[in-house]
Amino acid sequence: MSTSTPPDIRAGRLADAEYAKRFADAAPRLTSSQALLEAERCLYCFDAPCATACPTEIDVPSFIKRIADGNVRGSARTILESNPLGGMCARVCPTENLCEAVCVRNTQEDRPVAIGRLQRYAVDALMESDKPQIFTRAPATGKTVAVVGAGPAGLACAHVLARHGHNVVVFDARPKPGGLNEYGLASYKTPDDFAQAEVKWLLAIGGIELRPNWKLETTAQLEALRQDYDALFLGMGLSSTHRLGVPGEDLDGVQDAVDFIARLRQSSDLSTLPVGRRVVVIGGGMTAVDAAVQSKLLGAEEVHMVYRRGPEHLSASATEQEWAQTHGVVLHHWLAPAEIIDNGGGHVAAVRFAEQTMAQGKLQPTGREVRLDADVVLKAIGQQLGNPVLAHSGLTLQDGRIATDVVGQTNLPGVWAGGDCRAGGLDLTVEAVEHGKQSALAIHARLTAA
């Protein structure tokens, strides 16, 4: 006779109407009146620090001034010239750590100009207009570039190359383009299928072919891309997650947070998506926050987000942390996972954590332990390249990612890389876009050199 305690995991914890309400747009767009009032708060600084803080170097004062002048289409053009995925970045970029963090209004009014929301207002207005396409292609160059990965880096690279007259073939392992924009972000950040609407806008430039369900699995494939195309850009992101390295990690109920988020994003009916009554999320980044908050929104009664260091070390922004707490997620610090406990039937029942402290610059256990009961454990401790083909092909790797120069060129002639798979980055959507843009400009220069 089994003595195991069955896990409490089920779908439909909420009334049907509650799902749409809970997963509605987290930051609804500004109205035209709100946008005008907010734009008029901008001081249009010379050598504006907000523009310098933007990884894609959007001319922030310029696009905001155009909103104030009623030229919303011109505002969107200013944004998209620098960042072709400006709509998504306006939704998910941690502006509180970048452009808005250095806004001079912080010192004058203790509140920055809402740059991210103004950016969304302008781009959304353009994309929903009768004539959303503001760019035209240059004359055809006769060159074709292969892009591996239809995420932010790959899409940005493809769009810039297409504008310069090159043809582009984008290969991606997933059935739908968008990368993490489609599969890895919380639904309340990107409602109404915006990721695909943005891809549709990007592809409207022409000259870009998508080839989905294509995986880079052999060195022969990579070599064929180098031979068959005039240049190659690698923007495939990170394909696998780090392991916790503790007993019980392979028990049923232990999942990767990115897989949980992907299933949620692709679900057509959230009431059919099972969620545990008690959920423990291990990690301290934005993926951890997205997984924790969405578990709570699906009806989990208890959600704990646990990080092994102090709050000042979390990669999730202060705004993201506050968002989690506002939604009932309990944040724990200085706790390292030590064991995932079996319920007696092969399923997780709890997680045992060892309390940590910092001593002489190193994490040290205090000897105290904490147990958190769980029906589901979500791992969000970072991702890795996870593709042996890249190393076997002769690419130089650095800290497990592809080493490049400042414009993304790798050690292999004719091969560039960008986004999360590139070493030394911040793992931000906006930075991935900049990687793709700079590599595209470098590729264009190489292909058109006399």
Side-chain angles (χ1 to χ4, degrees), residues 131-286:
K131 297 180 179 180
Q133 190 52 248
I134 55 177
F135 300 119
T136 56
R137 296 189 69 198
T141 64
K143 305 291 186 180
T144 304
V145 179
V147 172
V148 177
L155 290 173
C157 183
H159 187 263
V160 174
L161 287 168
R163 283 185 61 191
H164 282 84
H166 308 293
N167 289 321
V168 186
V169 179
V170 182
F171 301 84
D172 195 78
R174 301 270 199 172
K176 295 165 69 175
L180 287 179
N181 288 356
E182 173 61 36
Y183 294 95
L185 298 172
S187 292
Y188 50 77
K189 294 179 178 177
T190 60
D192 303 321
D193 206 22
F194 180 78
Q196 293 309 305
E198 186 170 61
V199 169
K200 182 180 178 181
W201 179 86
L202 283 162
L203 297 180
I205 189 71
I208 304 173
E209 176 190 350
L210 288 179
R211 294 190 187 176
N213 301 308
W214 185 95
K215 295 182 179 180
L216 181 60
E217 298 175 317
T218 68
T219 54
Q221 286 176 299
L222 186 64
E223 199 54 39
L225 293 176
R226 295 182 65 195
Q227 294 297 322
D228 296 344
Y229 295 88
D230 296 294
L232 170 62
F233 177 80
L234 301 175
M236 71 283 289
L238 304 174
S239 62
S240 62
T241 55
H242 292 295
R243 288 182 61 82
L244 295 171
V246 300
E249 185 171 3
D250 296 319
L251 289 171
D252 290 341
V254 181
Q255 310 169 25
D256 288 335
V258 290
D259 293 337
F260 167 75
I261 293 171
R263 285 194 299 274
L264 193 154
R265 280 292 302 273
Q266 300 308 305
S267 175
S268 59
D269 183 357
L270 293 178
S271 68
T272 66
L273 196 65
V275 65
R277 182 172 66 85
R278 302 165 301 181
V279 178
V280 172
V281 180
I282 301 174
M286 284 188 284

Side-chain angles (χ1 to χ4, degrees), residues 7-19:
D8 188 352
I9 304 174
R10 61 184 177 87
R13 292 186 178 275
L14 309 171
D16 288 348
E18 190 69 14
Y19 289 96

